[in-house]
Amino acid sequence: MWVYEKKLQYPVRVNKCDPRMAKFLIEQYGGADGELAAALRYLNQRYTLPDRVIGIVNDIGTEELAHLEMIATMVYKLTKDATAEQMKEAGLGPHYADHDKALYFHNAAGVPFTATYFNAKGDPITDLYEDIAAEEKARATYQWLINMTDDPDLKDGLQFLREREVVHSQRFREAVEILKEERDAKRLF
């Protein structure tokens, strides 16, 4: 069960209308290494994980939904005052034609979100290594997004998200070690 607080996990501020940057940020909204894929991956995998690590994966999956909300807020704020021409110039013409300024789950290239972006093998250690890789890819993407903006307020929010990816990767590494210890423990019968 979740309790929803009507506030973002971290404040989202932007200095200006910037649909070009919004186009890039959409990658973290509906892309393969974005927040939706991460949340669904973890919340799906938790059902076949050992009890000792379910809480870790469930907590991170839930936090990814909060990150999705932050990205949505960033994209909205970057595009809410954009004209149709600005959306077109930023490469968001097809998006605007289909959705106006509404958010839609697709990546920066406009490819719609698909469940093939994530996997669940059923082997807990394998799945956790996939989760570590997902977090590291998201961390790298956030760094590249930070590199592409000159908006200090937007950078602040993106840096927060990048650092949370680092923490998530560390937590998944801890979960792998817990499972390896359990797997390698001598069992006496």
Side-chain angles (χ1 to χ4, degrees):
M1 182 176 118
W2 288 301
V3 175
Y4 178 71
E5 290 184 47
K6 293 183 180 185
K7 66 177 187 171
L8 295 173
Q9 183 183 14
Y10 189 84
V12 169
R13 294 179 309 276
V14 301
N15 279 339
K16 61 186 176 192
C17 174
D18 189 352
R20 180 192 64 85
M21 192 63 201
K23 180 183 187 330
F24 301 141
L25 280 173
I26 287 173
E27 184 65 33
Q28 289 302 89
Y29 191 68
D33 302 321
E35 302 297 350
L36 178 63
L40 294 176
R41 173 186 294 112
Y42 309 149
L43 294 175
N44 182 60
Q45 289 174 351
R46 71 183 174 173
Y47 291 103
T48 55
L49 292 173
D51 289 344
R52 291 194 59 204
V53 297
I54 287 174
I56 294 170
V57 176
N58 191 66
D59 289 351
I60 294 171
T62 301
E63 185 175 344
E64 297 294 0
L65 292 173
H67 295 174
L68 184 67
E69 186 176 32
M70 288 178 64
I71 292 294
T73 302
M74 289 174 184
V75 171
Y76 168 75
K77 287 182 173 188
L78 290 167
T79 60
K80 71 178 178 142
D81 296 325
T83 65
E85 188 59 33
Q86 287 174 310
M87 296 288 280
K88 192 169 136 187
E89 287 171 5
L92 288 169
H95 175 95
Y96 185 79
D98 282 343
H99 312 288
D100 189 42
K101 294 176 192 167
L103 288 161
Y104 184 77
F105 291 111
H106 61 75
N107 67 12
V111 178
F113 180 82
T114 173
T116 60
Y117 286 162
F118 60 92
N119 200 349
K121 186 67 176 170
D123 176 75
I125 293 174
T126 301
D127 286 343
L128 287 167
Y129 276 123
E130 179 179 331
D131 299 345
I132 293 165
E135 293 296 322
E136 292 299 332
K137 288 186 276 185
R139 178 201 46 78
T141 302
Y142 279 122
Q143 184 58 56
W144 298 327
L145 291 168
I146 290 165
N147 295 346
M148 288 193 283
T149 185
D150 60 357
D151 182 336
D153 287 334
L154 183 60
K155 278 186 181 188
D156 181 55
L158 293 171
Q159 288 167 339
F160 170 82
L161 291 168
R162 181 195 61 202
E163 295 311 310
R164 293 307 300 161
E165 304 302 343
V166 171
V167 171
H168 294 169
S169 178
Q170 291 169 340
R171 296 293 315 279
F172 285 135
R173 291 171 199 275
E174 292 166 12
V176 166
E177 291 309 310
I178 289 168
L179 294 182
K180 282 183 176 179
E181 285 174 19
E182 210 170 79
R183 178 194 66 191
D184 298 339
K186 290 187 180 183
R187 293 187 169 81
L188 300 174
F189 297 98

